[in-house]
Amino acid sequence: QVQLVESGGGSAQAGGSLRLSCVASGYTVGSRCMGWFRQTPGKEREGVASREGGGKTRYIDSVKGRFTISADSAKNTLYLQMDSLMPDDTATYYCAANDYYWCPIDHDARIYTHWGQGTQVTVSS
């Protein structure tokens, strides 16, 4: 049974940084597609970043140059380093994984079959 557990959320000032972690069990981090999503109340879940089995990464335009997705296979953990945070980054962030090597180009959430419980990120101006 696959379990994804996020941590690292919290409060930050605009311009600050946070690092989210996603520890996986029953799933090998780094071998297949994983991603980070975020959601605010009343809005659809939005794909933020993804990492394919071969290491290729993708980001939505609003976080390019500010967020970095990475994987540590020794710790079986996926990370999202978030720098230069902005108030618009405020959301619940979710880690997700699927059983494919490649990730959808458009960060389609329907492709992902395993989800964490989410961690809240709040950025104040």
Side-chain angles (χ1 to χ4, degrees), residues 55-103:
K56 181 179 178 60
T57 58
R58 294 187 180 88
Y59 302 89
I60 56 172
D61 287 345
S62 61
V63 307
K64 280 181 182 176
R66 300 190 298 119
F67 289 10
T68 304
I69 186 172
S70 63
D72 185 334
S73 58
K75 296 182 178 180
N76 215 38
T77 300
L78 184 76
Y79 298 101
L80 184 68
Q81 177 67 42
M82 305 187 295
D83 298 319
S84 301
L85 284 164
M86 303 187 300
D88 282 350
D89 295 320
T90 295
T92 301
Y93 283 73
Y94 298 89
C95 171
N98 69 40
D99 296 322
Y100 303 105
Y101 182 88
W102 291 277
C103 292

Side-chain angles (χ1 to χ4, degrees), residues 13-79:
Q13 296 256 327
S17 298
L18 287 172
R19 188 177 77 157
L20 306 183
S21 300
C22 172
V23 178
S25 57
Y27 186 91
T28 302
V29 172
S31 64
R32 286 167 283 177
C33 169
M34 296 187 75
W36 287 96
F37 289 75
R38 65 187 180 188
Q39 189 171 25
T40 55
K43 291 190 177 181
E44 288 191 3
R45 195 165 293 190
E46 173 187 49
V48 173
S50 65
R51 182 190 183 281
E52 294 184 343
K56 181 179 178 60
T57 58
R58 294 187 180 88
Y59 302 89
I60 56 172
D61 287 345
S62 61
V63 307
K64 280 181 182 176
R66 300 190 298 119
F67 289 10
T68 304
I69 186 172
S70 63
D72 185 334
S73 58
K75 296 182 178 180
N76 215 38
T77 300
L78 184 76
Y79 298 101

